[in-house]
Amino acid sequence: RTPVQKRFSDVDSFMHVNNIWQQSYFDMGKTEFYQRVLGITGVFDKLRIITASTHTDYLGQVRLQDDIEVVTSVSRVGTKSMTLNQRIMSGDRCLTESTSVMVAFDFELQQTVPIPDEWRWKLAAHFIHS
């Protein structure tokens, strides 16, 4: 769970948080998930996790006054990829859902690589069945 502090500039002319900023909130959730669960930054490491595909459903409006958090979990771990499920929550209301396929990527080799076993063990503790 990652609390999100919204900024005034996140709100568009329709008086809700713009969809682009919501994607940024999901990125904050991913970063915290990687740090907490895997112990990596995912930013400057030789081996990183990058997005291969993402799908988002906007279920309700996120407004400036809403207290929100991003909830991140993993629902699948494959050989080189994993599926992250994320929700922007306001209390018990889910306002936005996103599913992302993430791949392990070696930036020195410039190619996808198998997910390290150490990561698999750590991810297993946060696995959910969708």
Side-chain angles (χ1 to χ4, degrees):
R1 294 182 175 273
T2 305
V4 175
Q5 180 180 353
K6 294 175 302 312
R7 297 166 302 214
F8 179 76
S9 62
D10 296 354
V11 177
D12 61 20
S13 62
F14 296 110
M15 301 307 293
H16 66 255
V17 174
N18 188 281
N19 294 353
I20 293 169
W21 289 114
Q22 291 186 51
Q23 293 303 316
S24 175
Y25 300 164
F26 286 131
D27 287 345
M28 285 188 255
K30 287 178 182 119
T31 300
E32 188 163 330
F33 183 82
Y34 299 148
Q35 289 174 337
R36 281 193 196 177
V37 175
L38 301 179
I40 63 170
T41 64
V43 178
F44 299 112
D45 305 310
K46 173 188 170 227
L47 180 60
R48 299 180 214 169
I49 301 170
I50 62 173
T51 304
S53 172
T54 188
H55 174 86
T56 303
D57 291 312
Y58 300 95
L59 307 172
Q61 295 182 47
V62 179
R63 299 200 178 271
L64 185 62
Q65 68 272 15
D66 293 334
D67 288 325
I68 61 169
E69 64 182 352
V70 174
V71 178
T72 304
S73 57
V74 62
S75 62
R76 185 188 70 77
V77 179
T79 303
K80 294 183 177 184
S81 67
M82 64 181 168
T83 303
L84 287 184
N85 301 97
Q86 295 183 285
R87 298 178 315 236
I88 295 176
M89 302 292 296
S90 179
D92 61 355
R93 291 181 308 131
C94 179
L95 301 175
T96 310
E97 292 180 322
S98 182
T99 302
S100 300
V101 176
M102 311 301 294
V103 296
F105 193 84
D106 185 314
F107 271 79
E108 287 181 11
L109 299 174
Q110 285 294 296
Q111 65 184 31
T112 59
V113 294
I115 295 173
D117 288 337
E118 179 184 356
W119 291 7
R120 290 175 184 285
W121 300 323
K122 291 176 180 180
L123 288 167
H126 297 273
F127 188 81
I128 57 132
H129 297 282
S130 51

